[in-house]
Amino acid sequence: MIEPVQLPSPWRDARLTVVVPTYNEAGNLPALVERLLALPLPGLRILVADDNSPDGTGEVADKLAIEHPDRIEVVHRAGKEGLGRAYVDGIGRALDGGAEYVAQMDADLSHPPEALPGMLGALLSTQAGVVIGSRYVPGGELDENWPLYRRALSGWANLYVHTLLRVRIRDLTAGFKIWRADALRDIGLDRVQSNGYSFQVEMHYLATKLGHTILEVPIRFEERRDGESKMTTATKIESALMPFRLRNKHRNITR
C-alpha cells in the first residue's frame, strides 16, 4: 500500500466528493470507506450510489453514514440501471452539493484510495480538467492476479477505441479519476448516454472534444478483494457499439 501524498494548505482542504457506485459490494465498502476517511484530506466526502443491491450494500452504506454523518451520503436508486446511470446521478448530486472536485472510483478496492491526494495535487498544479489514475502509462501496474482474459479484453478495448475515436489517452477505459467541477459542468451530464462501462469512454471523448486537458498518472490496479465482476455480455455489446455512436452523436459538439 502506497503512502498518500501530504498536500499543503489550502489544497488539502479542497471540497472533494468521491462518488462510489455500488451493486453487491457489502464485503468491500467498509474497507474502502475506512481507507478514504484515513486520507489527509479533511474536505473529502463520500457519496455512495447504490442500485438496490440484493446483498445489503445499501444497508451497510446507511450504517457507515450514521457513523460519519458529515462525510458520507447515500443515494438509494430503484434498481440496477448500469454504471453510467449511477455515475450521472451521483456526480450530479455531488455538484449540486457544492463539490469543487469530483472523484470516481470503484467500490471493489481495485483502485488505491491512497493515490487520491497525489492525483488531486496533480490536478491543482496544472490546468487539467481531469486527472486519470492510469494502468497504462509508464509506472502503471496491473495486479499479477488479474486474469489473462481480462488483460486481453482491456488491452483490446483500448486499442479498438483509440482506432475509432483518435483520443490521445492511454487508459481510455479507466474508472479512477478526479474532475474539476467546472469541467463536468462544461461537459454537461445531460449529454451522456452510456449505461455501462462505456460511460468512461464517453466522458473522456466529450472532455477531449471540448478542449479539456486530460492528465494521466500511474497507479497500481489491484484485483478485486470480494465479490464478482459486473461485466456482462450486454455491457460488452454496448461498449463495442458505443464508439460508433459517440463519433456520430458528438461529431460537431461545441460549448
Side-chain angles (χ1 to χ4, degrees), residues 136 142-156 223:
Y136 300 128
L142 289 170
D143 191 319
E144 297 82 1
N145 296 317
W146 213 40
L148 183 60
Y149 80 92
R150 292 288 302 278
R151 291 171 180 261
L153 179 61
S154 176
W156 175 85
E223 175 65 307

Side-chain angles (χ1 to χ4, degrees), residues 32-43:
L32 175 63
V33 166
E34 181 180 4
R35 289 169 65 180
L36 283 170
L37 294 182
L39 296 176
L41 297 173

